[in-house]
Amino acid sequence: MIELAWAALDMVLEAVGFLLGLFLVLTLPGAVVWAISEAVDPRDVLRVRWFLQWLLALSELVGRALLAAGEWVYQHTLGRVVSAYVRRSRRRVAEHLAWVRRPFGRDAYRLFPIGRQVRAALRSWHQVAPLAAVAYLGKAFILLQILLNLGASSMS
């Protein structure tokens, strides 16, 4: 049940992120072009075209640099923890599947095939589980604070 709720929340957050990104991608360049076109004489088309090409190249360079910096920060902070956790959990899942398949003998792999979808689901679950644990601890802390405040207010 928790996995289903987490997957639904993940899908909602991905959709919201996608829509916000789409909104920014579609409106921000238009706003920049409109602001530039308002400030520049329309008869000077070549200079405006050159400036817009330069602005586009600069924004692409900044975007690539930000993406690379974000990936570097992730790999050197949370990425190491997540990869170690994923490696450990893959071993545990493999051991558990071997234990479950033992009574079925040679038919185990036919009865319980491991496809790409299963591997992808396990990988995504194990990558999100540390973040889910942090969110769960945050939720427990907030609940504890609420309960302590309720207890303190009822005593006075």
Side-chain angles (χ1 to χ4, degrees):
M1 183 70 174
I2 292 174
E3 294 89 5
L4 182 64
W6 187 255
L9 179 64
D10 183 45
M11 287 177 24
V12 167
L13 289 176
E14 280 186 27
V16 167
F18 174 76
L19 290 175
L20 284 175
L22 187 63
F23 175 75
L24 285 175
V25 165
L26 293 178
T27 57
L28 196 58
V32 169
V33 168
W34 177 80
I36 292 169
S37 67
E38 287 293 315
V40 175
D41 184 15
R43 293 173 291 196
D44 199 7
V45 175
L46 291 177
R47 187 177 295 167
V48 172
R49 183 178 294 156
W50 175 85
F51 179 73
L52 289 177
Q53 288 173 348
W54 175 81
L55 189 66
L56 181 65
L58 181 67
S59 64
E60 185 177 347
L61 181 67
V62 168
R64 287 178 191 261
L66 287 175
L67 199 60
E71 186 175 341
W72 184 86
V73 167
Y74 175 79
Q75 289 299 326
H76 287 79
T77 55
L78 189 60
R80 290 181 179 181
V81 174
V82 169
S83 354
Y85 173 75
V86 167
R87 280 194 304 274
R88 233 185 355 245
S89 58
R90 279 184 187 167
R91 273 183 259 147
R92 281 186 282 173
V93 167
E95 290 168 1
H96 181 72
L97 286 176
W99 177 78
V100 167
R101 288 181 173 151
R102 194 172 18 185
F104 294 99
R106 283 185 254 166
D107 293 331
Y109 288 96
R110 185 179 55 81
L111 294 172
F112 306 110
I114 297 180
R116 278 184 291 185
Q117 294 89 359
V118 173
R119 286 190 180 106
L122 283 173
R123 185 180 311 112
S124 64
W125 169 253
H126 288 10
Q127 286 174 345
V128 173
L131 300 174
V134 170
Y136 182 77
L137 289 174
K139 182 180 76 169
F141 177 74
I142 291 170
L143 180 62
L144 179 66
Q145 291 296 321
I146 291 171
L147 290 175
L148 289 175
N149 287 335
L150 284 176
S153 66
S154 65
M155 289 183 181
S156 53

